[in-house]
Amino acid sequence: VIDDASRAASVLAAMRAVRRAVVRRRPRVALLVNYTDFNARLLGFLRDRGVRVVWYAAPQVWAWRPGRARAIARGVDAMAVVLPFEEALWRERGADARYVGHPSMEIARLDRASARALLGLRARSVAVMPGSRSHEVRRLLPAMLEAARGIEARVLLTTALGDDVRRWARREADRAEIPVFDVDAAEGAPRVL
């Protein structure tokens, strides 16, 4: 509960800071990336100030909360989508959407043998990927480790996480006897998957 309250307070502080910056700097265009709930709340504020909005990596409304799609589409001037099918999906909801490619497709991938050698794998294996946000790693990793007991697995842990969460995750993985592999935050996991 304390973590949730402190996260909520920091999100509210960030929203206030962004709004103050918009009023002070009067941008012509805002580029929104990720964090759907935060950005969706900004749309009306930006539109009211005449700021054009481009949203990169559209919210995955096809996977969750599809009812938000039309409202988001009305609030953006352009939508840069990263999955090919999303262009038609967003256009059907009224957005000027264009498929721009997925950043993970631009990462040089290792061939299968090299990736397996780097990860120290001998047999079929499972990638345990608890996420990139501290709260989701702490919430998801224990159950994922329990599910992976007894099979060959690797925990892929992003370097973007804070040191405290990374140390905690390593301790948890060590207890489950599942090795951890550090994933460069800029490259992401696709390089070794």
Side-chain angles (χ1 to χ4, degrees):
V1 175
I2 292 172
D3 281 348
D4 290 342
S6 65
R7 246 192 343 269
S10 68
V11 168
L12 286 173
M15 180 65 74
R16 283 188 215 107
V18 169
R19 288 180 175 185
R20 281 193 305 270
V22 167
V23 169
R24 186 179 68 251
R25 297 175 69 183
R26 298 193 326 260
R28 293 190 314 238
V29 178
L31 174 63
L32 305 182
V33 180
N34 243 340
Y35 210 168
T36 300
D37 290 331
F38 186 89
N39 288 334
R41 284 179 175 78
L42 270 177
L43 288 176
F45 180 82
L46 294 168
R47 300 296 281 181
D48 289 349
R49 279 146 191 83
V51 179
R52 294 180 53 106
V53 176
V54 177
W55 197 314
Y56 172 78
Q60 296 177 341
V61 294
W62 47 269
W64 63 278
R65 295 165 75 179
R68 304 182 74 197
R70 289 203 190 282
I72 290 171
R74 281 192 303 271
V76 300
D77 294 285
M79 185 79 73
V81 299
V82 297
L83 299 173
F85 71 88
E86 291 177 321
E87 184 173 326
L89 182 146
W90 281 101
R91 285 182 179 270
E92 288 168 7
R93 284 152 182 83
D96 178 12
R98 292 191 178 87
Y99 171 65
V100 297
H102 198 291
S104 71
M105 299 309 290
E106 298 172 15
I107 301 297
R109 287 168 167 44
L110 296 175
D111 62 79
R112 184 180 183 90
S114 299
R116 292 183 69 72
L118 181 64
L119 294 168
L121 298 171
R122 296 173 307 280
R124 286 184 178 238
S125 57
V126 172
V128 176
M129 301 171 61
S132 60
R133 295 185 182 106
S134 296
H135 66 281
E136 64 188 8
V137 171
R138 287 188 185 274
R139 184 171 50 86
L140 299 174
L141 185 60
M144 293 173 135
L145 292 171
E146 183 61 33
R149 279 191 196 277
I151 59 175
E152 186 165 23
R154 296 294 181 268
V155 175
L156 303 184
L157 202 58
T158 179
T159 57
L161 289 167
D163 291 340
D164 59 327
V165 174
R166 291 176 55 71
R167 280 191 297 274
W168 173 85
R170 284 187 177 284
R171 282 193 306 271
E172 293 293 309
D174 285 347
R175 268 186 276 228
E177 299 179 353
I178 298 175
V180 173
F181 180 79
D182 291 322
V183 174
D184 183 274
E187 289 184 342
R191 178 174 174 256
V192 295
L193 290 178

